[in-house]
Amino acid sequence: MKILVINAGSSSLKYQLLDPDTQEVLAKGLCERIGLDGHLKHTPTGKDVYDADVDMPDHEAAIKEVLTILQHNHYGVIKSMNEIDAVGHRVVHGGEEFTHSVIIDNKVMRGIRACIPLAPLHNPANIVGIEACEDVMPDKPMVAVFDTAFHQTMPPKAYIYAVPYRWYTENKVRRYGFHGTSHQYVSERAAAMLNRPIEELRIVTCHLGNGASTCAVKFGKSIDTSMGFTPQDGLPMGTRSGAIDAAIMDYIVDQRGYSSKRVENVLNKESGVLGISGVSSDFRDLEAAAKEGNDRAQLAIDNFCYKVTKRIGSSAAAMGGVDAVVFTAGVGENSPSLRAEIMEGLEFLGLVMDPEKNNVRGKEAILSTDDSPNAILMIPTNEELMIAKETARLVREAK
Ligand code: AMP
């Protein structure tokens, strides 16, 4: 089965054509600057890369370019569109309505639209991506895979904020969580690597990239996660503050004369490790600066690691123990030194890192010592594969 996976942003569109059964990736690519001038980078497996400016006035034009290049006689990987069995779309917010992936129909589109106030930047872009595919490939079955769905198993005590209950019932204010596809994928892979049923494992998954979140996955289900009503909650990230005292907002409005919109923007785009260090939001730059003696870069790293360490501890408490910790995403997959700093002091949970095994990048590995009571793993995330698998499963079930 060949599945086209689409991840549409406001001016970009990432795609991958893959077979979820063999896990073979036929091609992947990125359309950028949609609505401005347009650029397409198309990487077909085993063939030349196509990297050029291409006119893309809107998402429909971008999808058309993607389908054209996929069938191109030099850069293409399929002979005709008939070879594409279905399309899987990443959708950021599914609110409380979507607890699983679903085949897209009119009712589902209404549901995704109803979630726009919860994700005003992301859901409209996802909708545009779906509509563009519908226009260009009206007969292909399409599936929506939500970033929030995996966390819908959280119990009320985990997702409720201690604010007036009517904010929840009338305004939908609650913890939703994000990165669900990634947390689900790596927790399932962890169970497979440990050769144990996921139904008996308590796993803390740490998705540490430019955006960062942890998840307590108990017996295969998310029971708590660090991101909340928005991705702003929880851990400090590249440029996001993570959880802070809500009173700081008003205080800064008074002290610095900012509008609340401006404070929100600073908390999203000028905070996190960039805000503390003043150096960069990229952990590679921070590690290099810290090595050269930059104290604020070191402080940003230490603050980040300290908060991830605490989240692993609190997730273990939420699950009544922990059998495995999993690292994934840009930082989690590539930085042995940050992983080591995060795990320092967690030996009391039976999590003992092996420094040599930890010296690994980019491939699945067990990082804990052979006699560590519990496991530490590194698993490269693969949201596209998860979306393709979900799409194939639903399309097969519908037949
Ligand atoms: P992601 O959002 O998952 O793509 O992760 C992107 C982030 O991963 C980058 O901003 C970097 O901070 C981080 N990253 C990538 N490679 C490395 C590395 N070798 N060492 C430390 N951090 C890295």
Side-chain angles (χ1 to χ4, degrees), residues 236-264:
M237 311 178 204
T239 63
R240 293 191 193 119
S241 64
I244 59 164
D245 183 337
I248 294 172
M249 287 276 269
D250 214 32
Y251 178 76
I252 288 297
V253 166
D254 279 350
Q255 290 281 314
R256 301 188 80 95
Y258 289 4
S259 66
S260 62
K261 263 273 163 263
R262 180 161 175 205
V263 180
E264 193 202 325

Side-chain angles (χ1 to χ4, degrees), residues 207-211 281-284 287 329-331 334-335 338 361:
H207 179 111
L208 310 177
N210 200 27
S281 62
D282 192 306
F283 282 84
R284 284 165 289 202
E287 289 192 64
V331 181
N334 292 298
S335 178
L338 265 88
R361 284 193 175 86

Side-chain angles (χ1 to χ4, degrees), residues 3-76:
I3 307 289
L4 180 62
V5 173
I6 300 283
N7 181 356
S10 56
S11 68
S12 69
L13 188 146
K14 265 199 258 178
Y15 64 92
Q16 210 173 100
L17 183 67
L18 71 163
D19 182 328
D21 302 323
T22 62
Q23 306 199 4
E24 183 195 1
V25 177
L26 291 102
K28 55 179 146 185
L30 173 65
C31 304
E32 285 180 294
R33 302 177 60 83
I34 300 170
L36 299 167
D37 38 12
H39 188 91
L40 170 62
K41 183 169 181 189
H42 170 78
T43 311
T45 305
K47 292 188 165 187
D48 293 336
V49 174
Y50 177 87
D51 192 352
D53 290 338
V54 178
D55 199 26
M56 292 179 201
D58 54 29
H59 283 71
E60 194 175 320
I63 294 280
K64 280 186 180 152
E65 291 298 339
V66 170
L67 292 173
T68 303
I69 197 93
L70 283 171
Q71 300 169 76
H72 192 273
N73 56 16
H74 185 68
Y75 301 103

Side-chain angles (χ1 to χ4, degrees), residues 41-364:
K41 183 169 181 189
H42 170 78
T43 311
T45 305
K47 292 188 165 187
D48 293 336
V49 174
Y50 177 87
D51 192 352
D53 290 338
V54 178
D55 199 26
M56 292 179 201
D58 54 29
H59 283 71
E60 194 175 320
I63 294 280
K64 280 186 180 152
E65 291 298 339
V66 170
L67 292 173
T68 303
I69 197 93
L70 283 171
Q71 300 169 76
H72 192 273
N73 56 16
H74 185 68
Y75 301 103
V77 291
I78 51 173
K79 291 207 167 57
S80 93
M81 253 163 63
N82 293 338
E83 289 183 49
I84 301 175
D85 294 285
V87 184
H89 290 270
R90 174 185 182 230
V91 179
V92 167
H93 218 304
E96 287 192 329
E97 184 170 343
F98 296 107
T99 57
H100 295 96
S101 310
V102 285
I103 296 211
I104 297 173
D105 58 17
N106 288 340
K107 183 163 172 272
V108 167
M109 288 306 281
R110 280 198 296 279
I112 298 174
R113 273 196 201 95
C115 294
I116 289 177
L118 298 172
L121 297 179
H122 292 99
N123 272 32
N126 300 150
I127 290 167
V128 168
I130 294 170
E131 287 176 343
C133 285
E134 258 168 5
D135 287 344
V136 181
M137 302 174 272
D139 300 329
K140 296 280 178 226
M142 297 210 278
V143 167
V145 179
F146 299 91
D147 248 26
T148 49
F150 183 58
H151 302 299
Q152 279 297 306
T153 44
M154 282 194 287
K157 68 179 178 186
Y159 70 64
I160 204 76
Y161 285 113
V163 293
Y165 196 69
R166 63 180 181 279
W167 290 13
Y168 168 56
T169 53
E170 294 171 19
N171 306 103
K172 302 184 178 177
V173 171
R174 53 159 283 179
R175 186 181 289 285
Y176 291 98
F178 299 87
H179 292 146
T181 310
S182 177
H183 289 298
Q184 183 178 2
Y185 174 77
V186 298
S187 57
E188 288 178 5
R189 281 301 309 147
M193 283 171 72
L194 296 171
N195 212 5
R196 288 176 65 184
I198 198 162
E199 292 77 17
E200 64 178 43
L201 288 171
R202 294 157 301 179
I203 306 173
V204 185
T205 48
C206 305
H207 179 111
L208 310 177
N210 200 27
S213 68
T214 59
C215 183
V217 186
K218 188 178 185 183
F219 309 149
K221 293 192 161 66
S222 167
I223 64 148
D224 204 353
T225 189
S226 61
M227 281 180 170
F229 179 63
T230 71
Q232 170 72 356
D233 203 355
L235 300 170
M237 311 178 204
T239 63
R240 293 191 193 119
S241 64
I244 59 164
D245 183 337
I248 294 172
M249 287 276 269
D250 214 32
Y251 178 76
I252 288 297
V253 166
D254 279 350
Q255 290 281 314
R256 301 188 80 95
Y258 289 4
S259 66
S260 62
K261 263 273 163 263
R262 180 161 175 205
V263 180
E264 193 202 325
N265 200 44
V266 171
L267 292 176
N268 247 305
K269 303 208 169 118
E270 298 173 34
S271 298
V273 293
L274 170 67
I276 297 178
S277 69
V279 171
S280 173
S281 62
D282 192 306
F283 282 84
R284 284 165 289 202
D285 301 337
L286 291 178
E287 289 192 64
K291 236 184 224 149
E292 280 167 19
N294 186 314
D295 291 342
R296 274 171 53 191
Q298 188 62 57
L299 179 62
I301 292 172
D302 292 345
N303 177 262
F304 176 78
C305 292
Y306 174 65
K307 284 173 175 162
V308 180
T309 307
K310 288 206 298 181
R311 283 295 317 182
I312 294 172
S314 65
S315 301
M319 295 189 289
V322 54
D323 301 294
V325 169
V326 182
F327 287 98
T328 193
V331 181
E333 291 168 26
N334 292 298
S335 178
S337 65
L338 265 88
R339 289 194 300 250
E341 186 170 340
I342 289 165
M343 294 313 295
E344 219 178 274
L346 286 175
E347 293 81 4
F348 80 98
L349 289 174
L351 296 158
V352 187
M353 185 81 109
D354 182 323
E356 267 176 40
K357 289 188 185 170
N358 182 35
N359 198 11
V360 66
R361 284 193 175 86
K363 63 174 195 314
E364 290 184 347

